[in-house]
Amino acid sequence: MNKKIFGKLNWVDLIIIVAVIAAAAIVGYKMFLKPTAAVSTDTSTKMELTFFVEESPEYAASLVQVGDRVYDETMNCVLGTVTSVELGESYSFGTNSDGIIVRSGKPGYNSVKITSEVNATEYENGVMVGVTKYGVGHTFTFYAGKAKLYGKLAGIGGAN
């Protein structure tokens, strides 16, 4: 069973030599040949995203400033730069003595409406920022400057 090829190599030796040459060829191809330039398919445009937080402690809500970065930590995605901040009365809902759901404010808390400008791509259900998809009503935790807030994407529009 010891058949020799060319008098010195057996079949196993030949297979190993071919594998080493193939591996060297692949490594050489990847290292030394330049790939062709990719065609840019970026179709993103400046978009305006509006975030709404129904209830945030005053000390957090007051930290958000125009120029701050909005960041979705979970998806590792920057959602733009704050262009406006509006503080209002917090939105707490409960039932009154008649069993009717009513809205009231909560002392020491504010609602926060944040508008940011970001490069995004529209798609049929909302926008894509990078590779992350967002739609109106998307509820998540995000940072706006130094404040960590829990709110929702309340609006999508073209930037002015």
Side-chain angles (χ1 to χ4, degrees):
M1 203 60 158
N2 193 6
K3 296 186 179 183
K4 300 279 183 179
I5 302 172
F6 307 117
K8 295 188 180 191
L9 300 173
N10 64 24
W11 287 105
V12 175
D13 294 336
L14 184 62
I15 291 172
I16 291 172
I17 291 169
V18 169
V20 168
I21 291 171
I26 290 170
V27 168
Y29 175 78
K30 290 190 181 237
M31 288 181 65
F32 298 112
L33 289 179
K34 291 183 181 179
T36 59
V39 176
S40 176
T41 57
D42 184 14
T43 58
S44 65
T45 58
K46 286 216 183 280
M47 303 288 293
E48 198 171 77
L49 302 180
T50 304
F51 305 94
F52 186 71
V53 178
E54 292 179 349
E55 201 170 74
S56 173
E58 284 177 0
Y59 58 83
S62 64
L63 288 176
V64 183
Q65 302 294 318
V66 171
D68 285 346
R69 180 179 80 153
V70 180
Y71 178 74
D72 180 351
E73 179 183 43
T74 304
M75 300 308 291
N76 194 25
C77 183
V78 175
L79 298 172
T81 303
V82 175
T83 57
S84 73
V85 180
E86 298 174 32
L87 300 181
E89 186 179 329
S90 69
Y91 280 60
S92 294
F93 293 93
T95 54
N96 64 13
S97 59
D98 297 327
I100 299 171
I101 296 176
V102 293
R103 179 186 153 221
S104 64
K106 188 174 179 181
Y109 286 77
N110 290 107
S111 65
V112 186
K113 181 179 176 183
I114 301 168
T115 304
S116 75
E117 189 174 90
V118 66
N119 284 331
T121 304
E122 274 192 276
Y123 80 105
E124 64 188 38
N125 300 107
V127 294
M128 285 182 55
V129 180
V131 296
T132 307
K133 295 179 178 179
Y134 294 93
V136 173
H138 184 113
T139 305
F140 61 109
T141 302
F142 61 94
Y143 286 92
K146 294 180 178 141
K148 187 172 185 177
L149 305 166
Y150 180 74
K152 61 187 77 172
L153 180 59
I156 300 170
N160 295 331

